[in-house]
Amino acid sequence: MLALTAGWQIAIATTAPVDGPFFGHVPNYTNLPIYMSFNSGYGYLSGAGWPNHLATLLALALAAAVFFAALRADANRPVFARATAASVRSERELTARLFTLILIGGLITTLGAVWMHTGSAGQALVGVDDQWVSGTQSNPSIFVAGGYDAFARPMNLLGYALQAGGVAFLLRLSVDSVRAVVETRRARRAETAHEVVATGPRR
């Protein structure tokens, strides 16, 4: 979903003329393709294009590369001579699961940020001033929406929810990981103390 959203925003981007009508929070003019056509060429909005979304694709590719490199390094890590095959397999499965969950949490949070930005840009409305017919009567204001206004607001709200959920997921994962490390060390200390009591101190 993250790659599809970034690719879609890059695909709909276009350049704009210097004297073109711009709407919304538009930065200083540039000839880079950072604009999206508003209502079939009625105007231009900024926020799309590869200058805004290429970093998302690069971060996604980097995350995937680091993920596979970390799993490969863990799979090739030497084991202790006393370790059993079952314990090594279980430990490596837990490591792979932890890296997978960290990657998922990061992707959810990043997807939320991208959807929040994309949905916010898609909600732009251009209003037309009232035209007074008489002293007391006027035509209603007319608002022109952008190209994907129908789902821009749900995307924006879901983006906020995904960011909150992703951060909460990563925080919970951090707490559970620290707790697991503490419990593992406590269990190892208890096992070592039991061996000392059973066999006597080593000399």
Side-chain angles (χ1 to χ4, degrees), residues 59-73 99 102-103:
L60 182 60
L62 180 61
V66 170
F67 175 72
F68 287 111
L71 292 185
R72 182 176 181 180
F99 278 114
I102 292 174
L103 179 62

Side-chain angles (χ1 to χ4, degrees), residues 19-160:
D19 56 349
F22 299 96
F23 304 111
H25 299 287
V26 181
N28 294 333
Y29 175 80
T30 176
N31 56 3
L32 292 175
I34 67 168
Y35 307 101
M36 50 185 167
S37 179
F38 184 84
N39 201 342
S40 301
Y42 182 75
Y44 299 94
L45 295 172
S46 65
W50 64 262
N52 290 300
H53 293 276
L54 182 60
T56 301
L57 296 178
L58 293 178
L60 182 60
L62 180 61
V66 170
F67 175 72
F68 287 111
L71 292 185
R72 182 176 181 180
D74 183 68
N76 294 329
R77 178 169 50 89
V79 299
F80 295 106
R82 297 175 58 187
T84 62
S87 65
V88 172
R89 179 179 179 181
S90 176
E91 181 181 350
R92 290 183 174 174
E93 286 179 349
L94 289 175
T95 301
R97 182 173 179 267
L98 178 61
F99 278 114
T100 302
L101 293 176
I102 292 174
L103 179 62
I104 290 174
L107 291 179
I108 290 175
T109 306
T110 306
L111 178 62
V114 172
W115 278 15
M116 181 191 69
H117 167 76
T118 303
S120 177
Q123 293 181 69
L125 295 174
V126 177
V128 179
D129 292 337
D130 290 346
Q131 294 181 355
W132 292 92
V133 178
S134 64
T136 59
Q137 298 293 326
S138 69
N139 290 332
S141 299
I142 300 174
F143 292 95
V144 181
Y148 56 95
D149 176 72
F151 57 88
R153 180 168 176 77
M155 176 180 285
N156 178 252
L157 295 177
L158 187 56
Y160 282 105

